[in-house]
Amino acid sequence: MNTLLGRRTRLLAAVTATAGLALVAGCSSGGGSGKTTVKGVHLVKAGQLTTCTHLPYPPFQSEIDGKVQGFDVSLIDLVAKDLGVKQNIVDTPFENFKTGAFLNSGQCDLAAAGMTITPERKKNVDFSDPYFEATQAVLVDKKSGITSLADVKTKGKKLGAQAQTTGEDYAKGKGYDPVSFESSDAVLNGLRTGQVQAVIIDYPVVQGWLKDKANADAFKVVDNLKTGEQYGFTVKKGNTKLREAINKALGQAKADGTYKKLYEKWIGPYDASAASPAAS
């Protein structure tokens, strides 16, 4: 998932745990700010694992009851716990994740934003092991008469997608000219308000949205597109120690059942094939 280029940076931080935490024994500190090292991992701010994300993107990250929560958040909380610190989340434009700008500038330690692993992005950032295999859903208004993606074109209907995402790329690659929206929420609102009659969007987002009965009564999935997408967390190019720490936490979570519990909590019925994609 991505967002529209040029979008104003939002620097409000959503903290997932209480502030004022002491560093674990054996860590070097710069008086509560600046770089610190925990278990060999360099952190941009003492006492916390700073995560850049882009809100909202449920069920991976969104603000619920004044707190940023979701599947990605819960997984990175496991990494922070292993390091003996707490996670702090900063909401930022997604295009910076593609370039690694906020990682390179030292604003964040990692990015967690339901981000698809691609060769282009690998040139700028290092990815963790894949932690989720996503498909693209074609969601339509039930009154539109659309029964497939092909119907959108043959019936002259409008298709929507989130700007600069793999979903938008897929639509353009198939010869469509989708209406671009800046976030997943905006895409779904465009469908709800009739700006478009169909959208291409990540299926996990649709799963969560259709849990609302009013949405399920009015909209339906007519296609599920297997695009081979795998999500990964990113770190600054060459940050091997943090990448290894993330992979270790993911491996432990899958081995001890924690991953499955979090998957069922945030996404829905456990799908082993989606949960354990082969390393890319």
Side-chain angles (χ1 to χ4, degrees):
M1 51 88 69
N2 284 321
T3 188
L4 190 65
L5 281 172
R7 184 177 180 183
R8 182 173 61 87
T9 303
R10 290 180 290 170
L11 298 177
L12 295 177
V15 183
T16 63
T18 56
L21 296 161
L23 285 175
V24 295
C27 299
S28 60
S29 173
S33 63
K35 288 187 176 180
T36 186
T37 301
V38 181
K39 297 183 179 180
V41 176
H42 295 286
L43 302 177
V44 298
K45 291 186 179 180
Q48 66 186 45
L49 183 61
T50 307
T51 301
C52 272
T53 194
H54 177 66
L55 299 171
Y57 190 58
F60 294 90
Q61 53 270 323
S62 59
E63 189 170 337
I64 304 170
D65 298 327
K67 180 179 178 181
V68 178
Q69 302 181 59
F71 188 57
D72 282 0
V73 179
S74 294
L75 289 177
I76 297 302
D77 274 343
L78 299 177
V79 182
K81 182 179 179 180
D82 282 351
L83 294 176
V85 297
K86 296 293 182 179
Q87 181 182 186
N88 182 65
I89 298 176
V90 181
D91 184 19
T92 57
F94 197 90
E95 62 265 19
N96 292 283
F97 301 163
K98 297 168 64 178
T99 63
F102 286 139
L103 300 174
N104 294 333
S105 68
Q107 183 173 341
C108 296
D109 296 301
L110 72 143
M115 185 155 48
T116 301
I117 301 170
T118 69
E120 179 186 1
R121 293 172 183 175
K122 282 184 175 181
K123 295 176 183 177
N124 300 316
V125 296
D126 285 344
F127 277 92
S128 69
D129 289 340
Y131 66 92
F132 186 83
E133 184 160 3
T135 59
Q136 295 286 331
V138 179
L139 183 69
V140 306
D141 186 322
K142 287 183 177 180
K143 296 178 181 178
S144 68
I146 299 170
T147 59
S148 67
L149 178 59
D151 265 359
V152 175
K153 187 177 293 184
T154 58
K155 294 183 178 180
K157 303 294 185 179
K158 289 185 179 180
L159 177 69
Q162 187 176 346
Q164 300 183 62
T165 62
T166 48
E168 183 183 58
D169 290 344
Y170 181 90
K172 289 181 176 179
K174 295 296 183 181
Y176 294 86
D177 183 21
V179 177
S180 294
F181 295 91
E182 67 176 17
S183 69
S184 59
D185 272 12
V187 173
L188 294 170
N189 189 56
L191 180 64
R192 183 189 286 114
T193 58
Q195 296 175 59
V196 294
Q197 291 75 53
V199 298
I200 291 182
I201 192 167
D202 287 11
Y203 184 58
V205 175
V206 172
Q207 282 181 292
W209 197 68
L210 291 180
K211 287 180 181 178
D212 184 298
K213 187 178 183 301
N215 291 336
D217 286 345
F219 306 95
K220 65 179 180 179
V221 173
V222 295
D223 262 340
N224 204 308
L225 313 172
K226 288 285 285 184
T227 54
E229 293 179 54
Q230 297 176 332
Y231 287 173
F233 301 118
T234 64
V235 299
K236 183 179 178 180
K237 204 76 176 167
N239 192 349
T240 304
K241 290 293 185 181
L242 180 53
R243 181 178 180 275
E244 289 175 347
I246 294 171
N247 289 342
K248 177 184 176 183
L250 289 174
Q252 289 176 333
K254 289 181 179 181
D256 65 18
T258 301
Y259 182 101
K260 182 174 182 290
K261 290 178 182 178
L262 294 175
Y263 188 105
E264 290 173 338
K265 175 181 179 180
W266 292 110
I267 297 174
Y270 185 65
D271 181 345
S273 64
S276 301
S280 60

